[in-house]
């Protein structure tokens, strides 16, 4: 199967590309290198022995996108390309709506013109806002609290309308919880530019000596140890969730929505302890004020994906921290190059 992967050099895209190739599929990658480096391609080749086809360009560029669809034989699309930093989205809402919403619409229009009617899209647990209860099921109400979340919700709503008007299409929305970890080789991983926003890359940069200490954003939440609880999911499990969706629903017309999470919650303090154990390094931290917009707890009910896709997460928290540490300690400054 020939799978066009937008944002294919990014964190989740690169891991999915490796899993696709290992499963005998043929990914064709697009990326504008806004948040990734060409070095990722060499690493993928090192891991799987073949360099995937790569087209450098922006999905909002209709001429570029049309040329890729004209040149390649494409059966289906996995769409990762987008911007993902909540804080930045508050500063730059236009850029977020343009990239995430407009980018998706240009992609859909190009697919329609090329006669390709099947797509899997990255969505996020952020669309549940501050859910009234946990674990969170797919039929819970959706709500956005910031421009990033609103852009994801808008994409979901646009595609829901589009699928209603075009019932022959297969559209799959995968709502990721908190992706962490790396390929077990330590060759590819998460390489945030600048100061990391997310917990796991921040902790691993403290462990490797790039940052002095972690700020724990609040120890007064109504959780057992007072820190925030999230559903961390190993990125390879997440990548395999896309393969399960490809196999089970990408040829079935309809709108398919799945949570991709483990169903377990881990607190910030538990994550610090697990990382410290895996790395043998002390993780210095200071308790700071709560981060604006953060919620106390968020974890998935992943039953629907298990029942309908036959998918479940298999990596443990220890796997997540061990694999992150292998990537970070082998690549203390991330990928080489600009
Ligand atoms: P990432 O930034 O590592 O990867 C995204 C890739 O898309 C990057 O390589 C970037 O250069 C590329 N890109 C961005 N805009 C583009 C454009 N207009 N044209 C072409 N390429 C473009 O992010 P990721 O963590 O791999 O996330 C992938 C997707 O999953 C995103 O849509 C994100 O919103 C979603 N998501 C991520 C998380 C997370 O915590 N990582 C959680 C929920 C959802
Ligand atoms: N945290 C800290 N210190 C830090 C970073 C985070 O204490 O330096 C805490 C947060 O307060 C939260 C937990 O660690 O309790 C996880 O925070 P992350 O920023 O790693 O993850 P979030 O759950 O806040 O958000 C992430 C993505 C969103 C996405 C959401 C659900 O950033 O884009 O997961 O998928 F929408």
């Amino acid at each position: 199967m020939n799978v066009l992967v937008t944002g294919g050099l990014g964190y989740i895209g690169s891991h999915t590309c490796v899993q696709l190739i290992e499963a005998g599929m043929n990914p064709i990658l697009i990326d504008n290198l806004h948040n990734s480096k060409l070095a990722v391609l060499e690493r993928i080749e090192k891991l799987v022995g073949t360099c995937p086809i790569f087209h450098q360009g922006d999905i909002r560029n209709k001429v570029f996108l049309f040329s890729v669809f004209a040149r390649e034989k494409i059966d289906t699309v996995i769409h990762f390309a987008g911007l993902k930093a909540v804080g930045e989205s508050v500063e730059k809402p236009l850029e977020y709506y343009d990239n995430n919403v407009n980018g998706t619409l240009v992609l859909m229009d190009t697919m329609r013109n090329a006669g390709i009617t099947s797509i899997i899209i990255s969505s996020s647990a952020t669309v549940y806002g501050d859910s009234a209860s946990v674990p969170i099921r797919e039929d819970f109400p959706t709500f956005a609290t910031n421009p990033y979340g609103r852009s994801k919700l808008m994409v979901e709503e646009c595609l829901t309308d589009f699928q209603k008007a075009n019932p022959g299409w297969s559209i799959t929305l995968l709502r990721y919880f908190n992706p962490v970890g790396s390929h077990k080789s330590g060759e590819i991983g998460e390489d945030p530019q600048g100061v990391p926003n997310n917990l796991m890359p921040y902790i691993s940069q403290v462990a490797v000596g790039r940052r002095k200490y972690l700020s724990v954003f609040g120890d007064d939440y109504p959780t057992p140890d007072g820190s925030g609880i999230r559903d961390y999911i190993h990125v390879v499990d997440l990548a395999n969730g896309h393969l399960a969706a490809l196999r089970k629903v990408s040829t079935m017309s309809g709108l398919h929505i799945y949570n991709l999470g483990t169903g377990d919650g881990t607190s910030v303090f538990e994550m610090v302890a697990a990382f410290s154990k895996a790395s043998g390094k002390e993780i210095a931290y200071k308790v700071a004020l709560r981060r604006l917009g953060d919620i106390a707890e968020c974890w998935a009910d992943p039953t629907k994906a298990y029942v309908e896709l036959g998918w479940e997460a298999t990596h443990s928290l220890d796997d997540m921290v061990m694999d992150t540490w292998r990537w970070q300690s082998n690549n203390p400054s991330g990928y080489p190059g600009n």
Side-chain angles (χ1 to χ4, degrees), residues 16 23 27 32 46 61-62 114-115 117 127 159 192 194 230 233 241 248 252 265 269 276 280 284 301-302 304 329:
T16 304
N32 66 358
K46 192 169 166 191
N61 179 338
K62 290 183 180 180
T117 56
V127 300
L159 295 194
R230 296 292 184 274
I233 172 169
K248 290 277 181 171
M252 277 167 53
F269 288 126
S276 186
D301 179 341
K304 190 173 177 225
S329 49

Side-chain angles (χ1 to χ4, degrees), residues 84-86 123-127 148-149 175-180 196-203 214-218 221 227-230 232 268 290-291 294-296 298:
K84 62 169 182 176
V86 174
S123 190
S124 166
T126 193
V127 300
Y148 166 70
R175 295 175 176 162
Y176 312 155
F177 281 67
N178 290 58
V180 296
N197 298 303
N198 298 115
L199 180 67
M200 189 67 128
Y202 206 107
I203 292 180
L214 169 76
S215 295
V216 175
F217 297 142
Y221 283 105
S227 66
I229 293 182
R230 296 292 184 274
Y232 297 96
V268 175
R290 291 181 181 191
R291 187 170 61 179
D294 267 0
I295 55 179
C298 172

Side-chain angles (χ1 to χ4, degrees), residues 6-14 30-37 57-60 64 79-84 99-100 103 122-126 148 152 174-179 190-191 198 238:
T6 74
L9 296 191
Y11 172 46
I12 304 170
S14 56
I30 286 183
D31 206 296
N32 66 358
L33 303 183
H34 175 83
N35 197 34
S36 51
K37 293 181 180 159
D58 195 299
I59 56 159
R60 291 164 295 177
F64 161 72
H79 177 35
F80 293 109
L83 304 178
K84 62 169 182 176
N99 210 327
N100 295 359
S122 302
S123 190
S124 166
T126 193
Y148 166 70
K152 289 285 166 190
L174 298 181
R175 295 175 176 162
Y176 312 155
F177 281 67
N178 290 58
E190 187 171 14
D191 182 19
N198 298 115
L238 193 69

Side-chain angles (χ1 to χ4, degrees), residues 39-104:
V40 176
L41 268 184
E42 292 157 26
R43 298 289 179 91
I44 293 174
E45 184 172 11
K46 192 169 166 191
L47 284 180
V48 293
T50 167
C51 188
I53 298 170
F54 172 60
H55 296 280
Q56 183 175 339
D58 195 299
I59 56 159
R60 291 164 295 177
N61 179 338
K62 290 183 180 180
V63 176
F64 161 72
L65 211 51
F66 178 83
S67 74
V68 174
F69 276 84
R71 208 175 321 158
E72 305 292 349
K73 189 188 166 319
I74 295 166
D75 299 309
T76 186
V77 175
I78 305 182
H79 177 35
F80 293 109
L83 304 178
K84 62 169 182 176
V86 174
E88 187 185 55
S89 78
V90 176
E91 308 289 318
K92 300 178 174 175
L94 271 193
E95 282 78 355
Y96 272 69
Y97 294 126
D98 182 36
N99 210 327
N100 295 359
V101 183
N102 178 37
T104 303

Side-chain angles (χ1 to χ4, degrees), residues 135-291:
I136 299 171
R137 280 199 322 266
E138 289 83 350
D139 59 356
F140 277 26
T142 52
F143 181 71
T145 56
N146 55 67
Y148 166 70
R150 211 156 1 259
S151 73
K152 289 285 166 190
L153 207 45
M154 282 180 190
V155 166
E156 288 207 357
E157 287 168 351
C158 291
L159 295 194
T160 303
D161 287 343
F162 179 82
Q163 206 285 327
K164 262 187 216 144
N166 298 274
W169 276 61
S170 169
I171 297 183
T172 306
L173 308 173
L174 298 181
R175 295 175 176 162
Y176 312 155
F177 281 67
N178 290 58
V180 296
S182 312
H183 189 270
K184 63 180 181 317
S185 63
E187 291 289 345
I188 57 173
E190 187 171 14
D191 182 19
Q193 307 303 301
V195 182
N197 298 303
N198 298 115
L199 180 67
M200 189 67 128
Y202 206 107
I203 292 180
S204 63
Q205 291 194 8
V206 172
V208 85
R210 275 172 73 180
R211 314 260 160 215
K212 279 210 173 86
Y213 62 87
L214 169 76
S215 295
V216 175
F217 297 142
D219 67 349
D220 55 354
Y221 283 105
T223 59
D225 67 17
S227 66
I229 293 182
R230 296 292 184 274
D231 186 339
Y232 297 96
I233 172 169
H234 196 292
V235 65
V236 172
D237 281 329
L238 193 69
N240 286 333
H242 294 73
L243 270 72
L246 267 187
R247 291 189 179 113
K248 290 277 181 171
V249 291
S250 70
T251 52
M252 277 167 53
S253 56
L255 180 74
H256 313 287
I257 303 180
Y258 298 101
N259 285 339
L260 294 184
T262 63
D264 289 324
T266 302
S267 76
V268 175
F269 288 126
E270 286 169 341
M271 188 58 101
V272 167
F275 205 99
S276 186
K277 190 175 143 217
S279 62
K281 306 271 179 193
E282 196 199 334
I283 309 296
Y285 69 83
K286 290 185 185 172
V287 174
L289 290 176
R290 291 181 181 191
R291 187 170 61 179

